[in-house]
Amino acid sequence: MAGECRRCKKKEAEVYLPHSNLNLCSDCFLLLTERRVKHTVNAYKMLSKNDRVGVAVSGGKDSSTLAYILSSLFDKVDIFLIYIDLGVPDYSEHCLYKVNELAKIIDKELIIYSLEKDLGLRIGDFKSTIYGRKICSACGTIKRYLFNKISYDMGLTKIATGHNLNDTVEVLFNFYLEGNVESLLRMKPFLRRIHPKFVPKIKPLIGLTDMECLLYAEYRNLPIRTIDCQFSKGSRMLRRKELLNMITERMPTFMHSFMQSHFKRILPTLEAASKNREIKLYECTICGMPTSLKGAPCHFCKLISTLKRRA
Ligand code: AMP
Ligand code: ZN
């Protein structure tokens, strides 16, 4: 890439950011990326001094970037890394190796939950419970449940995930297409405690694109996975990602504008219009953890009992 860095005007530019039309050197790129995460955390008041935060690390570029930035910028906050070993052949061991390396680099405790050791199951076993759909939906249910359960049991005050701008716009886009207002109301950068057993969730990377997270992880030499999950191939999620990339190529500010207008304008209007439809959580009749289902088992317990019935 030709030319000098637009920020320091000293070093050679190496990174081009199309959404802000900026050419940056690697140092300025790293600095601005960290500043943007800090800005998101402060703008949504995601963290406070005495927080004990569980960072969900998958071995991917986003969560490794997240763990690194949070641990270097917010030293007043207690940070624990949480990895869920879903028992995907080869992939899960590969990712476990990467998160172990990451934990050593940033000097944080790594909590490992193994579906096989702790529950006697592997994600592949859930094939029979999903009626021909991709296994990703069961995987999402299991991960969401375990993030909350592990953090609640450990007395953590927040759970941070590596969802980035692409992930966020992709999900919002889908809810818009479906007209799914309920889910739009529940999808927020910071989900506060809405039940005593619900641990608040934060997404500090929602302002960074896929490419920015990848470049950050690469420039910082963070250990990140180099293989993909065998179950995610051809998923609807991947197809939507491609579609968004096509739009963004033609209109570089698309994702940023979409997210800004959703969280700043559309969501507050939706919330004001649905004051009497507050999100209610009940307790699962089997495990006692929070669920949107009244007088019934939570989605996780339902999955497990379906599996046991079929065994
Ligand atoms: P995904 O649902 O795979 O797009 O991942 C979204 C976020 O969930 C990641 O950025 C991580 O923060 C977290 N995550 C995904 N898989 C795992 C895992 N196996 N263990 C811990 N955290 C995970
Ligand atoms: Zn349950």
Side-chain angles (χ1 to χ4, degrees), residues 177-188:
L177 288 180
E178 292 173 345
N180 191 342
V181 178
E182 294 294 324
S183 299
L184 279 175
L185 283 166
R186 260 183 273 134
M187 162 95 187
K188 289 180 188 171

Side-chain angles (χ1 to χ4, degrees), residues 1-16 23-29 219:
M1 194 169 292
E4 64 178 17
C5 170
R6 273 271 296 278
R7 186 179 168 273
C8 67
K9 309 216 178 338
K10 287 187 201 121
K11 283 179 69 183
E12 185 78 11
E14 286 181 27
V15 180
Y16 175 62
N23 281 304
L24 297 171
C25 69
S26 54
D27 288 343
C28 289
F29 165 73
Y219 276 125

Side-chain angles (χ1 to χ4, degrees), residues 32-310:
L32 288 190
T33 304
E34 288 163 3
R35 274 197 193 160
R36 296 235 306 283
V37 176
K38 200 168 192 174
H39 174 80
T40 304
V41 169
N42 293 338
Y44 290 98
K45 299 189 172 59
M46 288 178 176
L47 291 174
S48 14
K49 232 185 11 231
N50 299 321
D51 264 333
R52 286 161 51 82
V53 183
V55 183
V57 285
S58 63
K61 63 188 193 330
D62 307 315
S63 50
S64 300
T65 291
L66 172 68
Y68 187 92
I69 295 184
L70 288 187
S71 63
S72 43
L73 294 191
F74 298 92
D75 53 358
K76 299 244 170 7
V77 167
D78 254 352
I79 290 176
F80 301 85
L81 308 184
I82 301 175
Y83 174 67
I84 298 177
D85 180 342
L86 293 146
V88 180
D90 301 330
Y91 176 79
S92 293
E93 295 100 72
H94 172 75
C95 294
L96 176 58
Y97 175 79
K98 299 292 178 183
V99 291
N100 250 316
E101 292 295 294
L102 177 73
K104 281 186 226 156
I105 293 172
I106 62 175
D107 194 22
K108 297 290 169 200
E109 187 183 337
L110 173 67
I111 291 106
I112 303 164
Y113 183 99
S114 156
L115 218 56
E116 188 153 32
K117 287 194 199 120
D118 296 308
L119 215 59
L121 295 167
R122 287 166 152 240
I123 192 67
D125 299 335
F126 288 85
K127 249 193 179 127
S128 64
T129 64
I130 49 167
Y131 309 105
R133 283 178 295 147
K134 296 288 301 178
I135 213 154
C136 307
S137 66
C139 184
T141 302
I142 295 166
K143 284 189 293 197
R144 268 192 303 277
Y145 178 85
L146 290 174
F147 292 156
N148 193 69
K149 175 89 174 85
I150 296 166
S151 310
Y152 176 72
D153 289 345
M154 286 180 64
L156 302 184
T157 55
K158 302 266 164 64
I159 300 168
T161 55
H163 292 98
N164 63 26
L165 179 64
N166 295 60
D167 302 326
T168 308
V169 173
E170 184 193 302
V171 173
L172 287 176
F173 197 63
N174 200 45
F175 291 155
Y176 271 78
L177 288 180
E178 292 173 345
N180 191 342
V181 178
E182 294 294 324
S183 299
L184 279 175
L185 283 166
R186 260 183 273 134
M187 162 95 187
K188 289 180 188 171
F190 179 7
L191 270 178
R192 285 158 206 282
R193 194 181 294 276
I194 37 175
H195 182 281
K197 293 185 190 169
F198 178 89
V199 183
K201 315 283 181 306
I202 56 172
K203 297 176 187 167
L205 301 191
I206 52 157
L208 301 184
T209 63
D210 256 345
M211 185 50 76
E212 286 164 338
C213 293
L214 177 64
L215 285 174
Y216 187 91
E218 284 184 346
Y219 276 125
R220 287 273 184 232
N221 249 327
L222 302 179
I224 53 172
R225 66 177 172 83
T226 50
I227 55 174
D228 290 328
C229 172
Q230 64 187 76
F231 295 116
S232 72
K233 287 197 186 96
S235 68
R236 253 195 5 214
M237 187 191 78
L238 286 182
R239 289 207 302 274
R240 262 187 258 129
K241 266 191 189 300
E242 283 165 21
L243 183 66
L244 276 183
N245 284 339
M246 278 162 59
I247 302 176
T248 309
E249 245 172 57
R250 304 290 294 266
M251 188 182 168
T253 55
F254 173 77
M255 290 195 294
H256 293 78
S257 312
F258 192 100
M259 193 184 70
Q260 281 282 338
S261 61
H262 177 74
F263 288 124
K264 290 244 162 79
R265 300 182 204 288
I266 312 279
L267 186 60
T269 314
L270 280 182
E271 282 179 325
S274 48
K275 269 263 151 60
N276 50 356
R277 281 204 299 172
E278 259 180 32
I279 307 158
K280 262 210 162 143
L281 288 185
Y282 308 92
E283 292 197 356
C284 165
T285 49
I286 296 179
C287 71
M289 292 308 284
T291 172
S292 56
L293 309 168
K294 191 177 181 183
C298 68
H299 294 289
F300 176 81
C301 288
K302 265 193 185 162
L303 267 180
I304 303 291
S305 45
T306 311
L307 203 59
K308 285 197 177 140
R309 249 185 281 127
R310 294 184 181 202

